[in-house]
């Protein structure tokens, strides 16, 4: 079992349900304090609940301040996000990409040797590459702190599904960049990209998007992933067992991307 030093503070966003809640359950006995963060403060035994919209810089700063007040910062598990059926393209970019950057920046001053972060991206960030390159979008998702970023993102994408995929591509890039700045302080940052998951959000997308069944039909392992499987990966990434792993993304999708590649004839 991956072990985190049992001192300090672990922060989990999106903690109320789904994969975030599974991460809380996996990690809450492995630190002095666990901050469970969601839009409404979660009431989870053994944790301190905090309400936070991750797209609100002041709210994010308050979470970081609370973590600082409790002790040494051990880990940020950023699972909060919204899916394509939950909002328009602008809000998807605001929450999923800008929110990630705000958290990474807010927690960077707390980083010391052994601190780490695991940011949730998505297999969609890989799947959209099957549609071909989009250099303009690739450049756009590197500029999430620009004043006009959300306006430009909303203008470029009129489809929330594509916006979600590109926002998650941006998350992978943001985590990789943070691995450099956090690394200079002795910390690590990685991201992970879940595929089709048996969660409330996943089921909502499944009902709304027929393509999800095609994806499941072409997932080599032939099933949905479980939140507990993702939590196990997160527990490893933020543990001392992963002490030399930083700046990477791990795809956890049951082989789904390769299944879609095979469906497309292996041409891309």
């Amino acid at each position: 079992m991956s072990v985190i030093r049992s001192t300090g503070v672990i922060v989990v966003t999106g903690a109320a349900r789904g994969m975030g809640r599974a991460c809380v359950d996996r990690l809450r006995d492995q630190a002095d304090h666990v901050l469970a963060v969601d839009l409404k403060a979660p009431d989870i035994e053994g944790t301190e609940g905090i309400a936070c919209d991750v797209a609100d810089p002041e709210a994010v700063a308050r979470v970081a301040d609370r973590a600082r007040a409790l002790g040494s910062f051990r880990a940020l598990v950023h699972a909060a996000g919204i899916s394509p059926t939950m909002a328009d393209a602008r809000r998807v970019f605001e929450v999923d990409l800008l929110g990630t950057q705000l958290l990474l920046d807010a927690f960077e001053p707390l980083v010391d040797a052994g601190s780490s972060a695991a940011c949730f991206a998505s297999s969609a960030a890989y799947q959209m590459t099957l549609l071909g390159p989009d250099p303009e979008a690739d450049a756009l998702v590197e500029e999430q702190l620009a004043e006009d970023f959300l306006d430009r993102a909303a203008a470029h994408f009129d489809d929330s599904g594509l916006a979600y995929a590109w926002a998650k591509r941006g998350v992978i890039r943001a985590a990789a960049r943070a691995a450099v700045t956090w690394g200079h302080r002795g910390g690590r940052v990685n991201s992970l990209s879940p595929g089709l998951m048996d969660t409330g959000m996943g089921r909502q997308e499944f009902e709304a998007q027929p393509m999800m069944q095609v994806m499941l039909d072409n997932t080599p392992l032939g099933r949905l992933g479980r939140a507990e499987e993702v939590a196990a990966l997160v527990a490893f990434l933020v543990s001392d067992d992963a002490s030399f792993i930083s700046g990477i993304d791990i795809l956890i999708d049951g082989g789904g991307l390769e299944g879609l590649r095979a469906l497309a004839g292996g041409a891309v």
Side-chain angles (χ1 to χ4, degrees):
M1 179 177 178
S2 299
V3 176
I4 298 171
R5 285 172 291 168
S6 58
T7 58
V9 183
I10 295 176
V11 179
V12 181
T13 72
R17 58 190 62 83
M19 292 181 285
R21 176 56 190 268
C23 290
V24 171
D25 291 342
R26 180 75 182 238
L27 298 172
R28 61 182 162 186
D29 296 329
Q30 299 191 33
D32 293 331
H33 304 279
V34 174
L35 296 183
V37 180
D38 216 300
L39 273 175
K40 295 182 179 180
D43 182 11
I44 303 173
E45 184 178 356
T47 74
E48 177 180 332
I50 299 183
C52 175
D53 179 346
V54 297
D56 179 348
E58 294 183 357
V60 169
R62 288 193 293 271
V63 175
D65 287 344
R66 181 56 180 156
R68 181 187 289 108
L70 288 172
S72 63
F73 168 53
R74 295 272 56 84
L76 168 66
V77 176
H78 177 37
I82 55 177
S83 59
T85 62
M86 298 173 68
D88 62 16
R90 181 188 180 92
R91 181 61 174 165
V92 167
F93 273 105
E94 184 178 32
V95 173
D96 290 358
L97 179 49
L98 180 58
T100 298
Q101 190 67 61
L102 291 175
L103 281 159
L104 288 170
D105 289 348
F107 276 88
E108 183 180 325
L110 280 65
V111 172
D112 61 14
S115 301
S116 63
C119 299
F120 278 56
S122 169
S123 64
Y126 293 86
Q127 293 161 2
M128 56 84 189
T129 63
L130 300 177
L131 301 175
D134 188 339
E136 184 178 352
D138 250 329
L140 177 65
V141 299
E142 297 277 352
E143 302 173 353
Q144 59 264 41
L145 292 180
E147 289 186 4
D148 62 347
F149 168 71
L150 292 176
D151 291 335
R152 290 165 55 206
H156 190 86
F157 296 99
D158 58 5
D159 177 86
S160 61
L162 282 176
Y164 176 80
W166 279 96
K168 292 301 189 179
R169 184 173 176 87
V171 168
I172 294 171
R173 294 297 308 133
R177 289 193 304 272
V180 177
T181 56
W182 283 41
H184 293 319
R185 305 174 66 97
R188 300 180 296 105
V189 183
N190 294 291
S191 57
L192 59 147
S193 290
L196 298 177
M197 290 289 148
D198 187 13
T199 63
M201 183 182 293
R203 289 188 290 273
Q204 179 176 320
E205 295 300 311
F206 217 96
E207 292 173 2
Q209 301 188 49
M211 182 60 185
M212 303 288 277
Q213 185 63 53
V214 175
M215 293 165 59
L216 178 58
D217 290 344
N218 288 277
T219 295
L221 291 186
R223 64 172 176 85
L224 301 174
R226 299 188 297 273
E228 294 77 12
E229 293 172 308
V230 175
L233 172 59
V234 169
F236 169 70
L237 287 175
V238 300
S239 76
D240 293 340
D241 290 342
S243 58
F244 202 56
I245 299 175
S246 193
I248 66 164
D249 182 76
I250 297 181
L251 185 64
I252 176 169
D253 73 339
L257 176 65
E258 294 308 316
L260 289 178
R261 199 188 304 276
L263 181 66
V268 288

